Amino acid sequence: MLVGLVLAGGKSSRMQQDKALLAFAGTSLLTWAEALLRQSGCEEVLVSRNQPGFLADIYPDAGPLGGIYSALMHQTIGSSLVVLPVDMPFASPELLQHLINAGQARASACYFADCYLPMYLPVTQAARDFLQHLLATQGQGRVKALLHHINAIALPCPADLAPQLRNLNTPAQWQQATGQSPQ
């Protein structure tokens, strides 16, 4: 089973407001990301967001790895996750499908070189165990550490898709990319 995971549980401190609720293409970034994952072939979409009605982190305040770990624990071994941050509005189904196809063909976790998210992540006991240990002992960690531990494959990103791999973290980045103030 292919499951999408939107990482939308951050504090959005650099944006100074909840990024998931920013208006983009006539909807919110959160709704946009969910639709993108469905268009990319995900049978189910989870949203990591510490609010009622969403997937809550098992380890609070653990950053992206907290959301990824919680999603891993809610899926069966053998399924796969496509992990997408909510603040990457220019990603396309083509970009995610490239990642999914590579991950499925190699039966391995994959990401684009120099951009750790989005990622294709098979649900394995090794990934669960690594994150459980990391989060229980350190409280947080880096996505790069997970990818390294599970020997994820860094894919070259096709040049025409590379501009889609940008996060919008600040009001200035948002305005520059969309031409509007974040509201």
Side-chain angles (χ1 to χ4, degrees):
M1 177 179 215
L2 185 63
V3 177
L5 173 64
V6 179
L7 296 176
K11 296 177 181 163
S12 300
S13 55
R14 289 179 284 170
M15 186 63 77
Q16 303 166 357
Q17 61 184 300
D18 190 345
K19 288 188 280 189
L21 302 180
L22 289 175
F24 182 79
T27 189
S28 69
L29 278 182
L30 178 57
T31 301
W32 179 264
E34 289 176 288
L36 176 60
L37 287 166
R38 284 190 188 88
Q39 293 167 14
S40 301
C42 295
E43 300 168 54
E44 178 184 355
V45 176
L46 303 172
V47 176
S48 172
R49 190 167 168 80
N50 293 309
Q51 294 182 4
F54 298 102
L55 180 64
D57 291 349
I58 295 169
Y59 289 96
D61 300 319
L65 291 182
I68 293 169
Y69 176 69
S70 296
L72 286 171
M73 296 307 292
H74 281 86
Q75 298 305 310
T76 58
I77 300 292
S79 59
S80 298
L81 295 174
V82 180
V83 183
L84 177 69
V86 75
D87 61 3
M88 196 173 273
F90 300 111
S92 68
E94 180 184 17
L95 175 80
L96 295 181
Q97 199 59 58
H98 183 81
L99 189 64
I100 293 163
N101 291 342
Q104 289 175 337
R106 294 168 173 84
S108 176
C110 293
Y111 62 99
F112 293 110
D114 301 321
C115 189
Y116 303 122
L117 292 170
M119 78 166 76
Y120 173 85
L121 180 64
V123 178
T124 64
Q125 194 59 47
R128 286 177 174 177
D129 291 346
F130 174 76
L131 286 179
Q132 193 280 326
H133 175 76
L134 180 71
L135 298 175
T137 58
Q138 296 180 23
Q140 60 182 346
R142 300 200 176 272
V143 171
K144 179 181 178 180
L146 169 65
L147 294 169
H148 176 74
H149 181 80
I150 60 175
N151 297 312
I153 298 169
L155 303 171
C157 187
D160 61 323
L161 299 179
Q164 298 177 26
L165 294 174
R166 65 178 163 162
N167 300 84
L168 303 180
N169 290 307
T170 67
Q173 290 172 341
W174 181 265
Q175 187 158 14
Q176 181 182 18
T178 67
Q180 53 188 323
S181 295
Q183 296 178 22

